[in-house]
Amino acid sequence: MDAITTKRIEKLHPSVRNEMKKIIENCNASLTGKAQVRITQSLRTFEEQDVLYQQGRTKPGKKITNAKAGQSIHNYGFAVDICLIIDGNMASWDTAKDWDNDQIADWYECVKIFAIHGWEWGGNWKTFKDLPHFEKRGYNSWQKLSKLKRDENNYVIL
């Protein structure tokens, strides 16, 4: 597991950090070739969410989210976005490539591992598919999460 991924795991809600470490370790062990998983996004502040929401609306670029601040599971530390790092230096979001030649696309090997641990894949959404995105089932309602009290570190209290 690379240092960037480790740092991003440490930003997740404390209740899912150890589980995410296991998921990434399992994915990396499954990907026996050139690819390893990197978390590209984990906890996102409300301010960061607003900037992303403005893209394609009041700021130039393509729309990349329909979630305003407080409406993303990233805002509560229960979501991650990933990419595959190839040969230690190239980022890939190619969901079809089989870097380890085991007849299963590397991305889908990871999708299965996340699912085993109870994480929903944004690629399964009916609208606005988000292929790099995974969020913890049971904690994927921003409406419920937004009503919870927060601890001294600003994480929701479960």
Side-chain angles (χ1 to χ4, degrees):
M1 184 176 328
D2 69 4
I4 293 169
T5 295
T6 300
K7 279 185 184 178
R8 291 182 176 143
I9 288 172
E10 289 307 315
K11 291 181 178 183
L12 290 172
H13 192 280
S15 69
V16 296
R17 289 177 190 163
N18 287 334
E19 179 177 58
M20 185 54 60
K21 287 176 190 171
K22 285 182 188 170
I23 291 169
I24 300 302
E25 288 169 358
N26 290 345
C27 287
N28 287 342
S30 178
L31 305 176
T32 57
K34 306 175 182 187
Q36 295 288 279
V37 174
R38 173 171 290 166
I39 294 176
T40 59
Q41 286 272 297
S42 60
L43 179 69
R44 195 182 292 148
T45 67
F46 281 27
E47 293 79 18
E48 291 167 329
Q49 190 67 39
D50 271 338
V51 169
L52 292 177
Y53 184 77
Q54 291 166 9
Q55 185 174 323
R57 293 176 176 85
T58 59
K59 303 258 166 109
K62 179 183 167 190
K63 287 182 185 177
I64 56 173
T65 184
N66 285 330
K68 296 178 182 179
Q71 296 178 348
S72 171
I73 304 308
H74 283 286
N75 299 146
Y76 304 94
F78 293 106
V80 297
D81 294 341
I82 68 165
C83 73
L84 298 178
I85 299 295
I86 312 308
D87 289 329
N89 61 14
M90 182 183 83
S92 172
W93 288 267
D94 187 335
T95 60
K97 186 73 174 161
D98 179 18
W99 297 98
D100 58 4
N101 296 312
D102 64 358
Q103 309 306 309
I104 304 167
D106 290 0
W107 198 274
Y108 291 100
E109 289 182 61
C110 294
V111 168
K112 289 177 187 177
I113 291 167
F114 272 87
I116 288 167
H117 289 274
W119 289 69
E120 179 181 341
W121 180 42
N124 287 332
W125 295 347
K126 301 287 184 238
T127 59
F128 204 83
K129 290 188 181 288
D130 190 353
L131 301 180
H133 182 87
F134 296 85
E135 58 188 42
K136 181 68 176 166
R137 282 191 196 99
Y139 300 102
N140 54 354
S141 167
W142 66 266
Q143 294 91 337
K144 289 180 183 175
L145 290 169
S146 68
K147 294 175 183 168
L148 297 176
K149 291 182 181 180
R150 296 188 177 246
D151 67 15
E152 64 277 0
N153 295 311
N154 207 30
Y155 291 104
V156 293
I157 299 171
L158 302 175

